[in-house]
Amino acid sequence: MVLKQKTLDLKRRMRHAVQGGGEKAIQKQKAIGKLTARERILTLLDPNTFHEYDLFVEHAAKDFDMDKKQLPGDGVVTGTGMISGHPICIYAQDFTVAGGSLGLMHAKKIVKIMDHAMRLKIPLIGINDSGGARIQEGVNSLAGYGEIFYRNTQASGVIPQISVILGPCAGGAVYSPALTDFVFVVDKISKMFITGPEVIKATIGEEISMEDLGGARVHSEITGNAHFYAESEQQCFDQIKQLIGYIPWNNAKKADPFPKKTPKTRLYKIDTIIPTDPKTPYDVRDVIRSIVDDSEFLEIMELFASNIVIGFARIKGDTVGFVANQPMVLAGVLDVDSSDKAARFIRYCDSFNIPLVTLVDLPGYLPGVDQEHSGVIRHGAKVLYAYSEATVPKLTVILRKAYGGGYIAMCSHHLKADFVCAWPTAEIAVMGPEGAANIIFRNEIKNAENPDEVRKQKIKEYKQKFANPYVAAAYGYVDAVIDPAETRKVLIHALEITKHKHVKPPAKKHGLPPF
Ligand code: HXC
């Protein structure tokens, strides 16, 4: 009898706690197209796998009448669960409870689940929907953020950390997502900024809406803070599930292999993707799809710095990370943003044992005052650093242009690629034929009776001599020139051969990448 009563009491307490901020606050949340924190967790996880922690945690604040307020779960839901059979730790801020604001106990719940993820060496997913530091709790809120940032940094490169922005994420709170590996945003729902529109207006007089300042599209297209953009929360959860399928649980594991499926070669004909005119653009993602299992490619940061393409796919069942110049956008040049994008992804793959496949077709680094003054030297160096530092298998396919610094940066042999091959369409040279002829034959062209005719002749000569893969192949800088139709076969072999690659980097505490 006593047990029965106690169990009923437990159930009553649980029912109360899971109501969060109550019906009115929940309806406000729904009216703007948002799910509640618990609904989000239950939608994302495999059915019946969520185990909640700390449901009965209460806030500990006293000032500003806080001692008279009850905040169920202190505004955050935490626990463990499974996604497609993969174990994960998760937290979701509950905006219906004091705007999901972060106080001492709220932070302690997050920190506990982060520590748990690190102990178990499984991925951590954080769903952010919060008004930021709980104003009434003062320095305790700030301390909470500090503890979270420290753990984000310690966990970096050890377990995958995924941030999902499903509401406001304002002020210093943005730095937790910024320290994690992948940030997911949803149109009209996600809002991230350091200082909001009101503060901006008051301090420097600029007027801007929250959406235009830090909405999902802004962070996907302009700032590069977000890695995945979705139209709805459901689409966002589907993207997370896809990503979890490609990555390993921690840095000591490899991603789960999937059953091998051959590419859809009827849709993606590798021999005909590259146009005969070397200046005509094409979509490098078609090359990727023509090589990988089931032609499935999970692109990351699709809307930002699209002159480079990054993402995951599988080759013969195993995850690989692709880095590819995109000739459709700015001819695939490296610039400040595309260098940042590529370098970070290379480091991710290297941290988590994911082999890198690089597809090269670029005229070099983007020239211009804007790029120089934006620090293209420092940012461009990140690509060199990331490739040189990476010890996972590194395979490179030169599709067409590989000019100048771009040739070196895109995982050349000189940065210790394990295997570099080129298609017969490859052109490996210091620069393009037009530019080269104009410089080295300047006097001959200037003094000729018919300068245009001589220029054309010299460009032709240069093309014949250098615009091919055979000069590089003659020096052994390219290991093989291959028939494009053989690319998948060649990569499968190279991945097999490099499977047990082990490189011991020189002893040091850490290097100094050009941050
Ligand atoms: C305490 C907060 C809160 C906060 C919201 N609430 N933010 N309570 N601390 N930071 C409460 C509100 O008082 C309200 O309580 C409930 O949450 C819902 O908030 P609304 O304002 O009604 O919601 P909405 O209109 O949707 O506006 C959402 C919002 C706004 C844009 C996020 O609440 C807002 O501007 N909040 C303050 C944002 C901010 O400046 N945070 C501090 C950032 S500094 P009731 O009881 O009325 O329902 C920071 C420093 C961290 O975070 C530094 C780390 C390094």
Side-chain angles (χ1 to χ4, degrees):
M1 188 61 184
V2 174
L3 176 63
K4 196 173 174 196
Q5 272 171 350
K6 291 200 169 186
T7 310
L8 284 174
D9 178 53
L10 166 68
K11 296 266 163 71
R12 183 189 56 77
R13 285 170 185 266
M14 287 169 94
R15 268 197 310 276
H16 174 73
V18 297
Q19 276 166 8
E23 200 46 38
K24 208 170 138 206
I26 291 174
Q27 287 317 318
K28 192 177 164 196
Q29 179 93 339
K30 300 247 169 185
I32 47 173
K34 290 161 69 176
L35 296 174
T36 64
R38 267 190 192 79
E39 283 170 343
R40 285 167 171 165
I41 291 177
L42 296 180
T43 313
L44 177 60
L45 299 189
D46 297 345
N48 302 318
T49 61
F50 181 51
H51 282 229
E52 185 163 351
Y53 286 38
D54 295 334
L55 175 65
F56 298 121
V57 160
E58 293 278 343
H59 75 82
K62 293 194 172 55
D63 298 329
F64 302 105
D65 284 341
M66 283 297 282
D67 48 347
K68 298 191 187 76
K69 282 193 184 158
Q70 218 202 354
L71 303 179
D74 205 19
V76 64
V77 182
T78 63
T80 54
M82 309 287 257
I83 293 181
S84 314
H86 296 251
I88 54 110
C89 284
I90 190 163
Y91 71 85
Q93 291 179 310
D94 185 350
F95 194 83
T96 69
V97 178
S101 56
L102 182 141
L104 177 70
M105 298 309 291
H106 178 123
K108 282 197 169 187
K109 279 179 78 169
I110 294 179
V111 159
K112 183 169 168 183
I113 209 70
M114 291 177 88
D115 288 342
H116 205 45
M118 271 296 266
R119 225 177 4 256
L120 303 179
K121 298 283 182 290
I122 57 177
L124 173 78
I125 300 177
I127 300 180
N128 295 257
D129 186 3
S130 164
R134 187 172 297 149
I135 296 159
Q136 300 92 325
E137 296 205 30
V139 72
N140 271 329
S141 307
L142 303 182
Y145 278 118
E147 296 292 335
I148 293 170
F149 301 162
Y150 175 79
R151 281 166 178 79
N152 284 136
T153 310
Q154 296 302 307
S156 180
V158 181
I159 53 168
Q161 298 185 84
I162 292 170
S163 296
V164 196
I165 315 297
L166 294 181
C169 182
V174 294
Y175 284 114
S176 175
L179 288 166
T180 62
D181 306 334
F182 298 106
V183 176
F184 289 73
V185 289
V186 176
D187 191 34
K188 310 271 185 322
I189 289 179
S190 314
K191 304 207 175 14
M192 285 173 93
F193 40 77
I194 301 274
T195 43
E198 282 175 31
V199 179
I200 291 182
K201 191 174 172 199
T203 50
I204 53 172
E206 284 176 354
E207 282 193 47
I208 190 161
S209 70
M210 233 187 242
E211 191 66 32
D212 290 343
L213 179 67
R217 283 210 87 89
V218 169
H219 289 302
S220 305
E221 289 173 12
I222 301 173
T223 67
N225 287 328
H227 302 86
F228 290 93
Y229 169 87
E231 302 280 345
S232 64
E233 293 200 15
Q234 185 57 58
Q235 191 191 5
C236 171
F237 297 144
D238 292 342
Q239 291 171 341
I240 296 170
K241 285 179 199 175
Q242 261 185 297
L243 175 68
I244 288 284
Y246 280 107
I247 56 180
W249 303 355
N250 60 53
N251 66 345
K253 270 176 116 49
K254 291 210 169 193
D256 284 348
F258 268 60
K260 177 197 115 178
K261 288 182 186 163
T262 48
K264 294 173 181 158
T265 41
R266 268 189 309 130
L267 280 178
Y268 304 100
K269 291 190 171 48
I270 198 161
D271 312 41
T272 55
I273 294 170
I274 292 203
T276 36
D277 171 17
K279 286 195 177 139
T280 307
Y282 61 93
D283 190 344
V284 77
R285 293 172 298 190
D286 287 343
V287 177
I288 297 173
R289 292 187 186 108
S290 71
I291 296 171
V292 302
D293 296 5
D294 214 20
S295 296
E296 270 182 21
F297 175 54
L298 180 66
E299 187 170 356
I300 301 167
M301 298 178 91
E302 187 180 346
L303 303 172
F304 178 76
S306 319
N307 38 329
I308 205 146
V309 169
I310 57 170
F312 296 122
R314 292 190 186 88
I315 293 184
K316 219 182 160 196
D318 290 325
T319 298
V320 293
F322 272 90
V323 180
N325 307 118
Q326 174 57 288
M328 271 200 330
V329 182
L330 291 171
V333 286
L334 279 173
D335 59 5
V336 166
D337 287 341
S338 64
S339 297
D340 277 2
K341 176 176 163 181
R344 190 178 148 85
F345 181 67
I346 294 162
R347 296 196 98 206
Y348 183 86
C349 290
D350 191 44
S351 300
F352 288 98
N353 312 310
I354 298 173
L356 282 159
V357 176
T358 303
L359 304 184
V360 187
D361 186 349
L362 83 165
Y365 283 90
L366 181 63
V369 178
D370 175 59
Q371 282 294 306
E372 296 293 340
H373 288 186
S374 301
V376 70
I377 297 175
R378 176 164 47 91
H379 294 281
K382 291 177 190 174
V383 181
L384 297 167
Y385 197 103
Y387 270 131
S388 301
E389 181 192 47
T391 57
V392 286
K394 298 186 282 194
L395 315 177
T396 305
V397 186
I398 303 175
L399 309 178
R400 199 167 59 173
K401 296 179 203 114
Y403 294 159
Y407 154 73
I408 306 168
M410 291 304 290
C411 205
S412 60
H413 247 311
H414 323 293
L415 307 187
K416 303 297 161 272
D418 298 294
F419 179 71
V420 179
C421 63
W423 286 6
T425 41
E427 300 176 10
I428 304 165
V430 173
M431 61 171 73
E434 285 81 5
N438 277 336
I439 293 173
I440 56 179
F441 304 115
R442 183 186 295 154
N443 287 337
E444 263 178 87
I445 293 170
K446 203 170 80 184
N447 299 330
E449 263 179 41
N450 187 341
D452 282 346
E453 209 39 55
V454 175
R455 181 180 294 111
K456 267 189 208 153
Q457 181 55 33
K458 292 296 175 193
I459 289 172
K460 200 170 152 202
E461 270 176 40
Y462 185 90
K463 267 189 191 163
Q464 276 165 354
K465 179 96 183 100
F466 291 119
N468 62 61
Y470 301 107
V471 180
Y475 285 104
Y477 300 144
V478 161
D479 300 308
V481 182
I482 63 164
D483 176 348
E486 302 277 292
T487 310
R488 177 175 162 89
K489 204 173 102 188
V490 165
L491 289 176
I492 288 175
H493 176 78
L495 286 166
E496 196 63 40
I497 288 292
T498 52
K499 211 168 199 158
H500 303 290
K501 177 184 176 189
H502 181 73
V503 173
K504 202 165 180 277
K508 55 179 153 179
K509 186 173 176 193
H510 54 66
L512 286 170
F515 280 160

